[in-house]
Amino acid sequence: MTHVPPPGSIVVSDWHRCKDSKEYFSRILHRKRRRHFGLLESPVMPPHASVDTVHYKIFISGKSGVGKTALAARLAGHNIPNMHYETTGIETTVVYWPVKLRESGRVFFFRLQLWDCGENALRRFDHLLPSCKEQVDAILFLFSFTDRTSFDDLSNQIAKWTGPAVKLVVGTKFDLFMHCDVAERDVQEFQETWSLPVLRMGGEVSDSLGDVAPLLNCLTEQLWHQDCVTVRATSQHSQ
């Protein structure tokens, strides 16, 4: 298992609060709200501040009803439908997130294409899961703090995925503590057993970058770390 870097050791985790980040984060905002990007759209920077963009494919895995579609909308700053509906096929959402590397000070735009597929659709159509797995860079394993069975199913989810992709666990509906069905000690035991980070997200969509920064920074940090490990391994093999 790839070593997980300590949070904030590779990227500046609170950079969205720093003055020198405003020019970059303003490119993913429109009238102080998150700008929505289509598949062929990207942030536009002035010539004096050109920024390289790195592209990643992220698959969101989890039982029906845990909030996969809601998480994708939350990370992108989209509105969440009031009524829950089962995703009937594959839905993709594009998220751009500017990141500053701690060591070099270099800035990148991370383009995260989030793939979300309904649980029933995956069972009915055999070709969907291979499409989701193809060239995937990271998997977000979701459970709901209000649904114990979704937490107990995590080990089955993780076992289905092999290979070098980054793996993160996200507990949704963390703000519904009155209906919590997963104890904190269970989460701690899970982290110790699987050596995977567990992040927590609420259910309400906010325009605040700070609400999504912990998850997006953790994800981008691990993706960058994985790429660095791959490059070093390739270089050593070629020597």
Side-chain angles (χ1 to χ4, degrees), residues 14-232:
D14 61 347
W15 191 51
H16 61 283
R17 299 191 182 99
C18 299
K19 186 177 180 179
D20 65 326
S21 74
K22 295 189 181 302
E23 183 172 22
Y24 302 92
F25 279 96
S26 67
R27 305 298 165 168
I28 64 170
L29 299 173
H30 178 65
R31 296 179 179 176
K32 297 184 179 181
R33 298 176 64 90
R34 294 284 295 281
R35 184 184 298 271
H36 297 177
F37 293 97
L39 290 176
L40 301 179
E41 296 176 313
S42 62
V44 179
M45 294 293 293
H48 73 273
S50 60
V51 180
D52 289 331
T53 300
V54 287
H55 299 245
Y56 296 97
K57 175 181 176 180
I58 317 298
F59 180 65
I60 304 176
S61 174
K63 287 171 58 68
S64 177
V66 297
K68 297 187 295 294
T69 302
L71 178 68
R74 185 181 179 90
L75 294 179
H78 297 179
N79 293 325
I80 297 177
N82 293 326
M83 297 290 292
H84 169 262
Y85 66 93
E86 174 78 14
T87 304
T88 55
I90 295 175
E91 293 185 0
T92 61
T93 305
V94 174
V95 176
Y96 278 93
W97 187 250
V99 167
K100 184 176 183 178
L101 301 183
R102 183 170 294 281
E103 185 174 335
S104 66
R106 191 175 179 186
V107 176
F108 289 90
F109 273 116
F110 277 67
R111 182 188 186 275
L112 308 173
Q113 188 177 54
L114 308 178
W115 285 50
D116 165 30
C117 189
E119 186 181 24
N120 290 328
L122 286 174
R123 290 173 178 169
R124 290 180 59 192
F125 304 108
D126 295 339
H127 67 283
L128 291 183
L129 186 57
S131 296
C132 294
K133 285 186 172 183
E134 185 180 9
Q135 296 182 327
V136 70
D137 298 295
I139 307 103
L140 302 181
F141 298 100
L142 267 60
F143 73 93
S144 169
F145 274 96
T146 63
D147 180 3
R148 178 73 196 194
T149 60
S150 68
F151 179 77
D152 294 337
D153 188 55
L154 281 175
S155 58
N156 293 327
Q157 287 189 56
I158 297 170
K160 295 177 182 177
W161 295 81
T162 58
V166 166
K167 299 177 179 66
L168 295 180
V169 177
V170 181
T172 63
K173 306 178 186 178
F174 183 61
D175 50 346
L176 302 179
F177 55 89
M178 292 294 291
H179 306 281
C180 185
D181 204 21
V182 180
E184 188 63 30
R185 65 177 179 274
D186 296 326
V187 176
Q188 294 294 333
E189 290 176 2
F190 174 87
Q191 285 183 289
E192 293 172 4
T193 300
W194 288 92
S195 299
L196 292 176
V198 178
L199 295 100
R200 296 154 177 80
M201 295 291 287
E204 295 297 323
V205 173
S206 168
D207 292 328
S208 172
L209 296 174
D211 290 344
V212 297
L215 198 160
L216 289 174
N217 284 331
C218 179
L219 177 58
T220 54
E221 187 164 51
Q222 292 209 35
L223 286 166
W224 187 262
H225 173 71
Q226 176 183 256
D227 280 356
C228 291
V229 170
T230 302
V231 169
R232 284 197 296 266

